[in-house]
Amino acid sequence: ALGASQENTTILWPDLSRVRFYPKDNVIFLKGGILSRIRVYCLPQNYAQVSQMIRFRLPQGTLPETS
């Protein structure tokens, strides 16, 4: 299935190049290499906790963006 084609994508923390937070939609977009992209869909109840954990783990020099 097309929707399941990226279920097993992995990005190592040091390889993160871009992170964009969408608090209105409870979504966090993680970008690694050229083809490495992951969207993290959160519940309203855990979005703050998940985004805080991702911000804590960001490699130095990676700038988080909020939309």
Side-chain angles (χ1 to χ4, degrees):
L2 184 59
S5 66
Q6 295 186 6
E7 281 186 5
N8 295 317
T9 301
T10 301
I11 301 174
L12 300 175
W13 289 111
D15 296 338
L16 277 177
S17 61
R18 184 178 189 182
V19 178
R20 182 169 285 183
F21 296 90
Y22 296 91
K24 284 184 174 181
D25 301 315
N26 300 309
V27 176
I28 303 166
F29 175 76
L30 307 173
K31 184 177 184 297
I34 295 171
L35 297 175
S36 300
R37 294 184 171 109
I38 298 174
R39 282 194 180 103
V40 179
Y41 295 92
C42 303
L43 297 172
Q45 299 89 332
N46 69 358
Y47 178 83
Q49 182 180 5
V50 173
S51 62
Q52 181 181 14
M53 189 273 302
I54 289 174
R55 288 176 194 274
F56 179 76
R57 298 293 304 260
L58 286 179
Q60 189 171 3
T62 303
L63 297 176
E65 304 171 20
T66 302
S67 294

